[in-house]
Amino acid sequence: MTDTTASVLTARAVLLDMDGTLVNSDAVVERCWRRWSERHGLDFDEVIKVVHGRQGYASMAVLLPDRPMAENHAENREMLLAETSDMEGVVPVPGAPAFLAALADLRLPHALVTSADVPLSTGRMAAAGLALPDVRVTAESVGASKPDPEGFLKGAAELGFDPADCVVFEDSEAGILAGKAAGMRVVGIGPRAAQFGPTVHVDDLTRVGVASAGAEGLRLTFG
């Protein structure tokens, strides 16, 4: 664990990003976006700094600001199909299986809030051997991509809790900004997250403990 500002958080519910937080899909993300970068004559090292956490069309809008949004949406559909057909190298983030099992076994409210669509999120969670939470907010569920807070606010509402009572787990700048904009505390997971000022930062989910806190909901410990 590095540079945490809290060792314990209590919450009513947790909202979980997928890529980089529960699932390590970096290999396929990099393959797909490298091809896209080459097609458009862009520097892949600069492209990959933008794409984590956002829906594809939103990343394309940042990278090709003068292009009509309709073209971004069209290419995003192609990108989603390419990513969904490529599961090579998709693995769980260390600690993710035990973390999700603890939430489920203790019946603690949690939801998946991902920029992936239903086929991609279903495929990647299955490839990583992870159970899908009952409540899921996917790309089809929202009108705006992270860093807009819509997805996290919708996840909190579907679970029936105020934003201030929820804790977000995220790895990317866009996701951490979205969690903060939603008025939620944010646990940053992995090396990308540390520089974006999450409430707490841990290297992976092996460093997170989960327990019931009775009337307070759940207790998260970091160490």
Side-chain angles (χ1 to χ4, degrees):
M1 184 175 63
T2 58
D3 193 28
T4 62
T5 56
S7 59
V8 178
L9 294 176
T10 57
R12 301 285 185 183
V14 294
L15 303 174
L16 307 167
D17 174 53
M18 182 182 71
D19 292 301
T21 300
L22 299 174
V23 172
N24 183 341
S25 57
D26 282 0
V28 59
V29 170
E30 290 176 8
R31 281 195 293 274
C32 290
W33 282 97
R34 188 179 295 278
R35 290 194 296 267
W36 185 88
S37 302
E38 291 171 352
R39 187 186 314 147
H40 292 283
L42 299 175
D43 182 345
F44 171 73
D45 290 336
E46 295 304 314
V47 168
I48 202 65
K49 294 176 184 177
V50 172
V51 302
H52 291 296
R54 291 180 170 88
Q55 291 190 45
Y57 76 84
S59 297
M60 293 170 189
V62 172
L63 294 161
L64 297 173
D66 297 327
R67 191 168 77 158
M69 188 58 76
E71 292 184 32
N72 296 332
H73 281 287
E75 271 202 330
N76 184 48
R77 287 190 290 271
E78 296 175 6
M79 180 70 74
L80 286 169
L81 289 172
E83 290 185 292
T84 302
S85 67
D86 183 357
M87 294 293 161
E88 184 178 352
V90 174
V91 295
V93 166
F99 177 70
L100 284 174
L103 291 172
D105 291 346
L106 293 168
R107 301 182 184 277
L108 299 173
H110 61 289
L112 188 72
V113 181
T114 175
S115 294
D117 63 4
V118 169
L120 182 56
S121 58
T122 302
R124 283 190 178 159
M125 290 289 280
L130 300 175
L132 280 164
D134 291 336
V135 177
R136 300 184 289 277
V137 179
T138 60
E140 299 94 336
S141 309
V142 296
S145 171
K146 299 171 186 175
D148 191 282
E150 181 185 358
F152 287 126
L153 293 171
K154 186 163 187 176
E158 291 196 17
L159 290 173
F161 296 99
D162 290 336
D165 291 328
C166 298
V167 169
V168 165
F169 282 69
E170 264 286 0
D171 73 299
S172 69
E173 179 182 19
I176 290 170
L177 290 174
K180 289 180 176 181
M184 301 173 183
R185 293 156 293 164
V186 180
V187 178
I189 304 295
R192 280 192 292 267
Q195 62 186 306
F196 303 120
T199 310
V200 177
H201 175 256
V202 291
D203 295 331
D204 57 45
L205 291 168
T206 65
R207 311 304 296 269
V208 182
V210 182
S212 174
E216 292 185 312
L218 63 145
R219 185 173 187 265
L220 301 166
T221 55
F222 310 94

